[in-house]
Amino acid sequence: MPAPISTASIFKSLKIIHMALVIGLVVFGIFVYQDKGEFIAEFDQSNPFTFIVPIVAIIGYFASLYLFRLRTSKIERSQNLKEKLTAYQSASITKYACIEAPALFGFISYFLSGGALFLVIALCMTAYLMVQRPTIPKLKEQIPLTPEEIRELEN
């Protein structure tokens, strides 16, 4: 029988997932920028990416906020810490996916066209994903925890 998953390992795995997503985006962005090597700062109305990339980024941003709040609002104080952290992990991964997808789309659009706008949007979404790093203080604000659960997390 496998060993039970500890609450510390759930939070630690969320940190690792977040770090992997950020590092993946940064490495992909560096690769794309080095491979493309140009930076076209013109507003090209004939390029469909000019309108699609910002719209996808805006949708991704607001979807990340909405879905995260929706999923964390369903976490009840009466649940045990493991259930709360599992639900929080699921909500966070959904949020990260909503942020990462527009960033990848922006990098790919930049790679295909060289448009500066796409690179800037992708970099902004990557920076936003970096800021979403899971921490204990954020966790305490975002889900209902009892004093005992807070002590358990801080140890």
Side-chain angles (χ1 to χ4, degrees):
M1 178 166 17
I5 298 173
S6 72
T7 55
S9 68
I10 294 171
F11 195 69
K12 186 176 181 180
S13 68
L14 180 60
K15 286 181 172 183
I16 291 169
I17 290 167
H18 176 264
M19 187 185 331
L21 292 173
V22 169
I23 290 171
L25 274 178
V26 169
V27 169
F28 185 67
I30 290 169
F31 169 76
V32 166
Y33 182 74
Q34 286 182 339
D35 195 54
K36 189 65 177 172
E38 64 182 6
F39 199 74
I40 302 167
E42 293 179 5
F43 188 77
D44 183 8
Q45 290 182 348
S46 65
N47 186 347
F49 292 132
T50 302
F51 302 101
I52 296 172
V53 172
I55 290 169
V56 168
I58 290 168
I59 290 170
Y61 170 77
F62 286 111
S64 73
L65 294 175
Y66 175 74
L67 292 173
F68 182 76
R69 286 187 189 135
L70 180 70
R71 292 179 135 211
T72 55
S73 69
K74 294 180 181 178
I75 299 172
E76 297 178 9
R77 192 172 198 70
S78 61
Q79 292 176 300
N80 67 42
L81 183 58
K82 185 176 176 183
E83 291 170 340
K84 290 177 184 179
L85 289 178
T86 302
Y88 182 79
Q89 182 182 44
S90 174
S92 295
I93 291 170
T94 302
K95 175 172 64 171
Y96 302 157
C98 289
I99 299 167
E100 184 180 30
L104 284 172
F105 186 58
F107 282 131
I108 292 167
S109 299
Y110 166 73
F111 180 73
L112 295 174
S113 69
L117 173 68
F118 314 134
L119 182 61
V120 169
I121 289 172
L123 291 173
C124 288
M125 294 303 286
T126 302
Y128 180 60
L129 181 60
M130 286 179 186
V131 173
Q132 299 305 308
R133 185 175 69 90
T135 63
I136 298 295
K138 285 182 188 176
L139 178 70
K140 290 191 293 189
E141 290 176 13
Q142 295 168 335
I143 64 172
L145 296 171
T146 64
E148 297 83 31
E149 292 170 337
I150 292 171
R151 280 193 295 278
E152 184 179 338
L153 282 171
E154 290 175 343
N155 291 334

